[in-house]
Amino acid sequence: MTDARHVLVLPDRDAAEEVAEELPDRFALTEEPQLVRDALAGEDDAEDAQWLVVIEDPTGRLDPTSLDELAAQHEGWLETP
């Protein structure tokens, strides 16, 4: 599998930032992960937003199970395609 993109879903910005800081060292990433605010459908309140950490994986070398475990440590999960 090549040219993959992994999306971790986190409950809030703090958790997303912590995960984004851990990823480069833990998985030897060459690109910085992207943080994206994902407002829940029909919700205008910023408190009801999930945060996404998007990781480009052009070589397909990242282990989805390890990414999911990292997200779970922060009350999140790996979004499945």
Side-chain angles (χ1 to χ4, degrees):
M1 180 175 175
T2 58
D3 201 24
R5 173 180 285 162
H6 304 282
V7 178
L8 304 179
V9 182
L10 286 302
D12 57 43
R13 183 179 186 146
D14 290 341
E17 287 176 346
E18 287 180 34
V19 169
E21 287 176 14
E22 271 187 64
L23 283 165
D25 291 336
R26 190 165 175 177
F27 295 97
L29 300 181
T30 56
E31 292 185 34
E32 286 291 313
Q34 295 177 297
L35 293 178
V36 179
R37 181 180 175 271
D38 182 33
L40 300 175
E43 298 294 336
D44 294 328
D45 187 352
E47 296 300 314
D48 291 327
Q50 293 175 327
W51 283 79
L52 308 178
V53 178
V54 180
I55 308 141
E56 299 297 333
D57 185 15
T59 60
R61 67 175 182 77
L62 298 177
D63 175 33
T65 302
S66 295
L67 292 171
D68 190 44
E69 289 170 359
L70 175 61
Q73 292 171 6
H74 298 272
E75 299 180 12
W77 65 90
L78 174 65
E79 188 69 23
T80 53

